[in-house]
Amino acid sequence: MGLKSMVIDAWSWLNYKPVFSDPTLGMPNRRAFPQAHASWVPAADERRLAAYKLLAAYDNNQAAELAAVRDGDSARERREFGDPSMFVDTLVSHVLGREQHITVPGAEQAADGDSSAAAAERVQDLLREWAEEELLPMRMLQCERKAVGLGDGVYLVYWDQGKNRVRIKTYDPGFYFPVLPEDGDGADFPDRIHIAWELPEDVKRGLKPRLRRITYELDWIRPLSASGLDQGGRPVRAPVMTVPDEGEQPVPAIGAGDQVDANGAISRQYPWNDAPTFRTCYLTDATWELGDIKGPIDVDTLPLDVATFAASSDGEVLDRLDLYIDFVPVIHVPNTVPPAEEHWGQSSLAKALQVFDELQGTDTDSSRASATTGSPILALSGKAVGQSKRERAVGPGLIFEIGEGGRMDTLNTAPQLAELRNHRADLADQAANIVRLPAVSLGTMDPSKVPSGYALELSLGPLDSLISGMRLARAHKDRLMLRFVQRLFLAGQHPDWAGITPLPAQLVRGPYTPTDKAAVLEQVATAYKAGLVSLETAVRCLTEAGWPIEDADREIEQIESRAFEQARFLADALGNPDEVAAFLGRQAPDVEPVPVVQLPPVPGDSQPDDTAQAGQQTAQRGGGGSS
């Protein structure tokens, strides 16, 4: 009957906007979202890319500009005062926390002499050094800004041969095109991922519009290949052939350390696996001219015979280059826990987007009303004396001369302006309630109006549940990133990582709500004094409460080096000065042997040798005792 079908998917909360869901077709407007309708974009990704652009427009105060594509230039008159951007910035700061720490379980027990704890401490120190060199907090901020505002973020972890360390890069989720399994869970890790975007025409360099696609694919290990040229002079990779024995036919060579089983399958032993595996990750970096892409072709089926392959810094052609890793180093970070069988997260602005539209309308009406309040409308009745119509504009010090029986009336729009401001405040509270951001977290609440700390804690309840869910969606991704970093250091054969076994590491995000440091200190001190918690746990609690402790292990060492009272108890219990010195982190002093006590001779004793003298003294003492 020509009726539009209702679409319910991960982006159906945008169906109310005509520019996103055409009233007749139900698809995004082609003039507003031309990138989503590119010939190489899969049909399943069109709404996703359009949603990203629409959300980015709200974040950058350009929603009116995007709406003008369909509604005309009158839509540009709407005022946008940055409310969505403020919500995004607030949520990003909360989900990141005040600071981030990399911890490896067991590293805090390294002082006990345990070899496994020492290995954990070594891995923890190396990861922290890498995070400092790579500016990890800044990279995380870039990714979280995308994830909170758009719903998804993307990390790429790779080995940089020039810098001799692992690097991390953040991509816009609009460039991310995973090949998801049709019969599997959408939360599974895809074996093939494309990162693709269009390059504009460069007239000065004579370059036409192009499409660049970087592909990471997990596939079976194949024979060794090397950089070469095809018949047309295009750089490609070709198999390396070897002659087993003289007179035999050449056969494909295999990589160093690879093994071929009886079935012809190639296996490889990676330093982080206990058993050999048959899979590896291949990298392809290719570019196409958009004019060469014809027919029903999408990003996953682009023809490689007309592509131009890039080269790495060491000259390797990136045409299915074997990376010698058994994982895809691309990490997708959803903003929320995806629904069952889904892959994509949801923007934090999603459910409140209609309220932001109402805020824009209220801001526009308030702006117009303030103009009439600042420059009031006057009505004159009667005949004006000596003034033309041009001289009747309202201004400071202006005098109107009105004839007999005349009068002047003023249109007061201040009450309407006040009502609009009250309405705006109600809409702002409504948006905060929907997003679950209480006024105290936005900084709009007067601290003097908080009755007690308990009331403040209750008001933060919605925010606690929100951040808990957002951090839950990121917990596994954070651990996965640190796992990839360790494996890439081993694959890159960095000397500092020689002989190290990768260990589970965690990225601990700091507190996000105001904490009563005095109350936390009192609780921790009482529990530690009563022997209910260890010193390591006490220092960790203080760190999470916001105390300026940069290195918990170093802080514990400094505390123990001044714990002379506990050292005295340890000396009384063990009687070993070496262990007491080790507890204080000091060197035990060299103790000279105590000399043997020599008793003075007994008067009248004439024995010449010490043995006889000692025997006589013993006899005399014995005789004296018996008498």
Side-chain angles (χ1 to χ4, degrees):
M1 297 177 61
L3 298 178
K4 184 186 71 171
S5 60
M6 182 178 65
V7 178
I8 299 180
D9 58 6
W11 301 275
S12 56
W13 43 270
L14 276 172
N15 286 345
Y16 80 97
K17 298 191 74 67
V19 72
F20 180 80
S21 182
D22 188 271
T24 56
L25 301 177
M27 298 299 293
N29 187 286
R30 288 186 173 272
R31 292 196 302 123
F33 309 102
Q35 299 85 358
H37 293 280
S39 60
W40 56 271
V41 174
D45 292 305
E46 291 182 0
R47 287 169 58 85
R48 176 173 69 91
L49 298 187
Y52 289 159
K53 183 174 182 179
L54 185 57
L55 289 167
Y58 273 89
D59 191 14
N60 293 277
N61 291 350
Q62 292 180 289
E65 182 178 347
L66 193 61
V69 175
R70 183 184 184 277
D71 300 335
D73 292 337
S74 60
R76 297 178 181 270
E77 298 179 2
R78 290 191 300 178
R79 296 292 185 266
E80 299 179 72
F81 294 154
D83 294 275
S85 179
M86 178 191 66
F87 276 59
V88 171
D89 290 336
T90 303
L91 285 171
V92 168
S93 63
H94 288 338
V95 77
L96 279 176
R98 294 191 182 95
E99 65 277 328
Q100 301 81 40
H101 299 285
I102 296 176
T103 61
V104 177
E108 60 272 11
Q109 281 82 29
D112 298 338
D114 187 1
S115 59
S116 60
E121 184 183 33
R122 177 60 176 163
V123 173
Q124 178 177 275
D125 292 341
L126 289 174
L127 287 175
R128 289 179 176 180
E129 291 176 5
W130 166 80
E132 184 176 356
E133 292 179 355
E134 192 56 25
L135 306 177
L136 182 60
M138 185 187 71
R139 306 295 183 189
M140 293 180 63
L141 179 60
Q142 293 173 344
C143 184
E144 292 295 350
R145 197 67 174 69
K146 296 288 186 181
V148 173
L150 304 181
D152 303 284
V154 179
Y155 286 121
L156 171 64
V157 188
Y158 65 99
W159 175 257
D160 191 324
Q161 190 69 30
K163 294 185 178 295
N164 196 32
R165 74 166 188 263
V166 179
R167 303 295 307 278
I168 185 169
K169 182 184 295 186
T170 301
Y171 278 104
D172 189 285
F175 300 162
Y176 172 68
F177 295 90
V179 181
L180 301 175
E182 296 181 358
D183 56 348
D185 190 349
D188 291 342
F189 297 111
D191 292 341
R192 183 178 173 91
I193 290 177
H194 305 293
I195 299 175
W197 66 95
E198 290 188 8
L199 300 172
E201 182 181 5
D202 191 340
V203 179
K204 293 183 179 180
R205 298 171 57 190
L207 298 176
K208 298 180 180 179
R210 292 150 292 151
L211 169 66
R212 183 180 179 185
R213 189 192 74 179
I214 302 174
T215 301
Y216 290 89
E217 181 180 8
L218 201 62
D219 202 355
W220 302 111
I221 299 177
R222 303 183 184 277
L224 187 65
S225 64
S227 301
L229 300 175
D230 63 2
Q231 296 179 353
R234 185 183 58 147
V236 294
R237 297 194 69 82
V240 176
M241 308 299 292
T242 182
V243 179
D245 294 318
E246 185 177 355
E248 295 186 3
Q249 294 294 330
V251 297
I254 61 174
D258 293 351
Q259 301 290 332
V260 181
D261 62 9
N263 299 323
I266 304 175
S267 63
R268 181 179 300 161
Q269 177 65 58
Y270 293 102
W272 50 83
N273 288 339
D274 296 332
T277 182
F278 295 89
R279 309 194 77 185
T280 187
C281 184
Y282 292 98
L283 168 63
T284 302
D285 188 349
T287 303
W288 290 263
E289 290 187 1
L290 292 180
D292 295 336
I293 303 176
K294 300 177 181 178
I297 296 174
D298 60 17
V299 68
D300 189 48
T301 59
L302 292 170
L304 294 178
D305 56 343
V306 294
T308 301
F309 298 103
S312 63
S313 58
D314 53 356
E316 291 287 347
V317 177
L318 302 181
D319 173 19
R320 289 185 62 84
L321 175 67
D322 192 346
L323 298 180
Y324 282 84
I325 55 177
D326 61 344
F327 57 91
V328 176
V330 179
I331 304 173
H332 168 241
V333 182
N335 182 51
T336 57
V337 177
E341 300 182 358
E342 287 290 342
H343 183 76
W344 308 103
Q346 188 178 83
S347 170
S348 296
L349 304 178
K351 301 299 176 60
L353 214 57
Q354 296 190 44
V355 183
F356 289 131
D357 288 342
E358 294 292 331
L359 278 171
Q360 293 176 11
T362 305
D363 291 337
T364 304
D365 295 340
S366 299
S367 178
R368 293 171 178 171
S370 63
T372 59
T373 302
S375 300
I377 301 175
L378 304 180
L380 299 177
S381 61
K383 183 178 180 180
V385 180
Q387 290 180 330
S388 63
K389 293 183 179 179
R390 184 175 299 177
E391 294 174 340
R392 294 179 184 176
V394 178
L398 184 64
I399 299 176
F400 288 98
E401 296 183 6
I402 305 175
E404 184 177 356
R407 55 179 293 180
M408 176 185 293
D409 295 318
T410 305
L411 179 60
N412 183 15
T413 59
Q416 290 81 0
L417 179 59
E419 184 62 28
L420 285 173
R421 290 177 175 175
N422 293 334
H423 182 53
R424 192 195 192 285
D426 294 339
L427 289 175
D429 292 340
Q430 180 71 11
N433 292 334
I434 294 174
V435 182
R436 289 189 286 174
L437 277 177
V440 63
S441 65
L442 291 171
T444 57
M445 175 181 287
D446 186 358
S448 61
K449 295 182 179 180
V450 180
S452 63
Y454 183 70
L456 176 62
E457 186 176 355
L458 288 178
S459 66
L460 292 173
L463 179 64
D464 291 338
S465 62
L466 171 65
I467 300 301
S468 296
M470 295 174 69
R471 289 190 174 184
L472 177 62
R474 292 159 171 78
H476 178 63
K477 307 298 182 178
D478 293 341
R479 294 194 299 269
L480 193 65
M481 176 180 62
L482 298 178
R483 185 191 308 168
F484 287 175
V485 169
Q486 296 180 66
R487 292 182 177 183
L488 287 172
F489 267 115
L490 293 177
Q493 299 181 359
H494 195 281
D496 293 343
W497 288 77
I500 290 181
T501 302
L503 296 175
Q506 299 176 354
L507 185 62
V508 180
R509 300 171 184 244
Y512 57 90
T513 56
T515 55
D516 190 348
K517 295 182 180 180
V520 174
L521 175 61
E522 182 179 358
Q523 294 174 359
V524 171
T526 303
Y528 177 66
K529 186 176 181 180
L532 300 177
V533 296
S534 64
L535 180 58
E536 290 79 5
T537 302
V539 173
R540 188 182 302 114
C541 291
L542 293 178
T543 303
E544 294 176 356
W547 283 75
I549 300 175
E550 298 181 358
D551 190 341
D553 297 336
R554 179 60 180 166
E555 191 71 19
I556 293 172
E557 293 177 1
Q558 292 178 352
I559 293 173
E560 291 182 342
S561 66
R562 298 172 177 85
F564 300 111
E565 187 70 17
Q566 287 80 0
R568 183 173 65 83
F569 295 150
L570 184 63
D572 293 341
L574 301 178
N576 189 339
D578 293 332
E579 294 192 17
V580 176
F583 173 76
L584 294 174
R586 302 173 180 235
Q587 181 68 31
D590 296 332
V591 180
E592 297 181 359
V594 180
V596 180
V597 178
Q598 298 291 337
L599 297 177
V602 178
D605 188 1
S606 59
Q607 293 186 13
D609 55 335
D610 296 340
T611 305
Q613 181 181 0
Q616 183 179 4
Q617 291 176 1
T618 303
Q620 290 178 356
R621 292 191 186 94
S626 61
S627 62

